[in-house]
Amino acid sequence: MNRRTVLTATGGMSTLFVTGCLGGSDPVGEETTDVSMVDEQFDPRNVHADTDATITWTNEDETRHTVTAASDNWEKDSEVPGGAETTHTFGGSGVYDVYCSVHGDADLSGMSMKVSIGDETIEDPLGDGSDADGGGYY
């Protein structure tokens, strides 16, 4: 939650100002429904979309990739040849883990990503380039 509290005192009186978001956390991840598979990575690696959104993964490499569920809250295992695409519609709020079974692993090392849908927030977003950042090149 992003919140800032400012206390000011003027002539014996105190005033309390609270600014910022009073609701839940802002979603983490790029607001998009389009993901590229390029250079053995998903781009972007952390995605946020509305409930009932259809995510489209497009393989921009010549080598094959997969879009494979790495978390138990959904099912998908699609091979995506070079130049092809695959889609999935996420009906419920949640965080969904994804990996390529050719260049990654279900532990989100290698070619992997996270998708947050609806009001859900990615608590541990994946980094950009190394396994130490939570994913990265395999």
Side-chain angles (χ1 to χ4, degrees), residues 29 42 114 131 134:
F42 293 107
K114 294 186 178 193
D131 287 331

Side-chain angles (χ1 to χ4, degrees), residues 40-134:
E40 298 180 4
Q41 283 300 318
F42 293 107
D43 184 26
R45 306 240 5 249
N46 302 287
V47 170
H48 178 76
D50 293 330
T51 304
D52 297 322
T54 298
I55 305 295
T56 301
W57 290 268
T58 303
N59 185 349
E60 296 179 11
D61 287 335
E62 292 181 14
T63 60
R64 73 180 176 92
H65 294 295
T66 71
V67 174
T68 305
S71 52
D72 294 334
N73 56 346
W74 71 302
E75 292 183 21
K76 180 135 180 107
D77 188 13
S78 297
E79 185 170 315
V80 188
E85 65 183 36
T86 187
T87 63
H88 185 83
T89 301
F90 292 91
S93 290
V95 175
Y96 303 88
D97 297 337
V98 184
Y99 75 105
C100 170
S101 64
V102 178
H103 302 104
D105 199 280
D107 67 0
L108 301 184
S109 62
M111 187 174 176
S112 56
M113 69 173 296
K114 294 186 178 193
V115 177
S116 67
I117 299 294
D119 295 332
E120 293 297 318
T121 300
I122 298 171
E123 297 295 328
D124 296 313
L126 297 177
D128 290 329
S130 71
D131 287 331
D133 293 319

